[in-house]
Amino acid sequence: MRLITNLLRQTALLSTPLLCIAQTGLAAPEKPQASPPNVVLIFTDDQGYGDVGAFGATAFPTPNLDRLAREGRRFTDFHVAQAVCSASRAALLTGCYPNRIGLPGALGPNSKNGISSSETTLAQMFKQKGYATGMAGKWHLGSKPQFLPTRHGFDEFFGLPYSSDMWPLHPEAKPGSYPPIPLLEGDRVFKPDLTPADQEQLTTQFAQRAVKFIDKNKGNPFFFYLAPNAPHVPLYVSEKFKDKSGAGLYGDVIMEIDWAVGEVLEALKRNNLEDNTLVIFTSDNGPWLSYGNHAGSAGPFREGKGTNFEGGHREPCIMRWPGHLPANSICKEPLMTIDLFPTLARLIGAELPTHKIDGLDVWPLLAGPPGARNPHEAYYFYYNQNDLQAVRSGDWKLFFTHTARTMNGQEPGRDGRPGKYRPLPVAASLYNLATDPGETQDVSAQQPEALKRLEELAETIRADLGDDLTNRPPTGARPPGM
Ligand code: MG
């Protein structure tokens, strides 16, 4: 049976462009699909929707990301599953809501849990088809040895086990609250105690690892996950970008991230791999607004990291695969990181895990035939452990009563020290994101049918993943690794 399923999947893979024609009656991507692509996934940290030129940034230049957008496809309604580091990464790498796999929120250096060995990561999925797999950057799915990337499908890893602000030298760290941060290579300590001088070099070093990996594996199919720990605070930049943006340290840091993207693109070009590599760029959550001039911008969207407003979980996303994704195009359909797992599995003909995942194959949204629609009935946004705070379906987003946080009216943070959020009571409210992307007008009173439908959708996920706000226990959640 599995063999037949596999054959059907592979047939579907090879006939993808034809399927698009059949579904829409419109033009297929420019070239037929040749062989399964290499994949480079770039996932930055706390970069806002408005922190890329192609998404509206004007304070600093991002020429390489803008080039990627011209040569590829921009996704303007792209979401992470939770607006905080660990949970967002858990969803990206497993295709599951973080709550399904017991990884909501952010893990600390002393957290005893991490990603379970019974989950399947993107790297393990790629290994099924013989891909070389590598990672450089911030992991944040558990720092005990059994949780590290090399135990979860990555052949190589160079980077940090968790966030670089969980660090004794961070201005906000209370004495004794954090151990030194190790820089890891594989599952060994490369350097035991990260210094400020080391932090300045990380974006460069992670990019160099990506380039080296691409050079080394140019003859095999490969998957590389580049996860810079920038522009998450504390901000550091190498000499080559100090004071270069004219927009302060945050702008300099974004310029260095853009440079790192350029290094990857150049390595692909030099090795003649551009046409056979899908490059994906996005960020793990929106800007950490309490850091003021050390935070980015959510562009036109409300609030930022740590909230379920669009500024928290809507991210700039660009994908490029010449001949397969239409160049210089925009996809305005909603999409979430959980969908990358099944979509990439389909592209390379890999089996999906036997356990439940939440993402769906969204290849038509990447390939771009007009009329392609998102196959999900809804996306669910949880925060604060297992609080279901919002549901999105089509253009509608329904909030449930909860307390968020805001910097509005507060003294802003400055130069690495944060301001203080104040609690923001959020009432049950319905927004139409097509006409009101800034989430300003509650239309629940005028839209009783949409309200009812989203409430019903929320009930289906409450029965499955639970909801602390309504005291519903989960039935379909799996434990994290302990
Ligand atoms: Mg983050």
Side-chain angles (χ1 to χ4, degrees):
M1 188 61 201
R2 180 165 280 201
L3 180 67
I4 294 170
T5 315
N6 238 348
L7 280 170
L8 284 171
R9 279 217 180 90
Q10 285 174 16
T11 311
L13 168 73
L14 294 170
S15 62
T16 291
L18 294 175
L19 278 178
C20 293
I21 295 172
Q23 282 165 356
T24 64
L26 293 162
E30 295 143 41
K31 278 191 238 167
Q33 199 162 298
S35 54
N38 308 306
V39 176
V40 177
L41 172 59
I42 305 170
F43 202 56
T44 61
D45 198 354
D46 292 11
Q47 186 167 3
Y49 185 94
D51 290 334
V52 175
F55 287 80
T58 53
F60 37 75
T62 58
N64 292 296
L65 285 166
D66 298 349
R67 175 189 148 203
L68 194 67
R70 280 195 308 278
E71 295 173 355
R73 188 158 171 79
R74 254 177 298 163
F75 296 82
T76 58
D77 200 352
F78 186 91
H79 302 268
V80 294
Q82 203 179 100
V84 67
C85 301
S86 296
S88 178
R89 285 150 210 270
L92 173 82
L93 290 181
T94 64
C96 298
Y97 286 113
N99 312 64
R100 182 163 312 280
I101 62 170
L103 290 173
L107 299 169
N110 299 317
S111 296
K112 291 195 168 56
N113 56 348
I115 185 163
S116 166
S117 55
S118 51
E119 300 299 339
T120 305
T121 67
L122 274 177
Q124 287 163 321
M125 185 271 286
F126 278 105
K127 289 309 289 181
Q128 270 184 49
K129 304 304 278 184
Y131 275 58
T133 56
M135 174 186 174
K138 171 170 131 178
W139 175 240
H140 218 175
L141 293 180
S143 51
K144 307 290 177 223
Q146 69 270 31
F147 302 133
L148 293 176
T150 46
R151 307 288 180 94
H152 292 269
F154 288 95
D155 300 332
E156 306 181 8
F157 167 59
F158 178 77
L160 305 176
Y162 47 80
S163 294
S164 53
D165 64 330
M166 297 169 174
W167 186 46
L169 300 182
H170 183 52
E172 287 305 293
K174 295 184 183 79
S177 54
Y178 294 122
I181 301 182
L183 185 58
L184 305 175
E185 175 147 40
D187 51 9
R188 299 212 175 144
V189 174
F190 180 80
K191 196 162 189 295
D193 188 356
L194 201 68
T195 65
D198 295 330
Q199 292 241 35
E200 289 180 359
Q201 300 306 317
L202 289 178
T203 300
T204 297
Q205 289 180 339
F206 296 155
Q208 287 168 341
R209 292 286 173 143
V211 167
K212 200 171 146 193
F213 180 90
I214 291 166
D215 287 343
K216 186 173 81 177
N217 290 291
K218 61 189 170 198
N220 319 307
F222 63 79
F223 166 61
F224 195 83
Y225 174 40
L226 175 59
N229 62 315
H232 192 297
V233 295
L235 299 182
Y236 285 95
V237 74
S238 76
E239 202 56 46
K240 56 188 175 300
F241 287 98
K242 256 175 207 162
D243 300 321
K244 286 293 191 304
S245 68
L249 182 54
Y250 190 85
D252 298 344
V253 168
I254 297 289
M255 282 185 72
E256 186 152 50
I257 289 171
D258 182 78
W259 166 87
V261 172
E263 290 295 292
V264 168
L265 299 183
E266 184 52 37
L268 295 174
K269 187 175 182 181
R270 179 161 34 78
N271 288 302
N272 201 23
L273 293 168
E274 282 179 311
D275 288 348
N276 194 31
T277 303
L278 169 60
V279 178
I280 303 172
F281 171 89
T282 190
S283 168
D284 72 333
N285 53 251
W288 199 347
L289 295 174
S290 59
Y291 279 88
N293 66 342
H294 280 199
S297 162
F301 302 113
R302 186 172 170 185
E303 298 296 343
K305 174 177 180 171
T307 78
N308 274 321
F309 291 101
E310 295 291 291
H313 56 71
R314 192 185 299 215
E315 301 305 323
C317 178
I318 307 169
M319 303 191 204
R320 185 193 77 175
W321 185 15
H324 302 273
L325 272 58
N328 206 12
S329 67
I330 297 180
C331 174
K332 296 179 178 173
E333 278 286 297
L335 211 67
M336 193 186 267
T337 46
I338 55 174
D339 300 320
L340 292 176
F341 190 110
T343 304
L344 296 174
R346 176 250 186 88
L347 277 181
I348 70 164
E351 287 278 336
L352 292 179
T354 50
H355 57 237
K356 180 176 173 61
I357 67 167
D358 296 292
L360 293 174
D361 176 5
V362 293
W363 169 249
L365 298 182
L366 276 58
R373 302 306 298 261
N374 182 294
H376 285 269
E377 193 162 17
Y379 285 123
Y380 302 98
F381 295 101
Y382 279 82
Y383 200 73
N384 274 348
Q385 299 309 310
N386 216 40
D387 293 358
L388 180 67
Q389 296 184 342
V391 175
R392 165 85 188 264
S393 181
D395 293 336
W396 300 107
K397 183 172 174 185
L398 175 63
F399 280 96
F400 301 104
T401 303
H402 69 278
T403 302
R405 65 185 190 183
T406 187
M407 285 299 295
N408 289 338
Q410 301 294 97
E411 185 71 31
R414 186 149 189 91
D415 298 339
R417 289 194 175 270
K420 196 166 164 39
Y421 284 106
R422 68 176 166 84
L424 176 68
V426 179
S429 44
L430 181 72
Y431 297 100
N432 183 321
L433 295 176
T435 56
D436 180 23
E439 299 170 291
T440 61
Q441 297 290 326
D442 171 21
V443 294
S444 52
Q446 295 87 55
Q447 298 290 341
E449 281 182 20
L451 181 66
K452 184 165 173 276
R453 196 169 72 79
L454 267 73
E455 280 174 342
E456 286 167 3
L457 287 167
E459 277 305 301
T460 61
I461 200 77
R462 285 181 183 127
D464 180 3
L465 292 181
D467 173 25
D468 289 352
L469 286 175
T470 55
N471 293 318
R472 302 284 292 278
T475 58
R478 303 188 288 266
M482 298 297 285

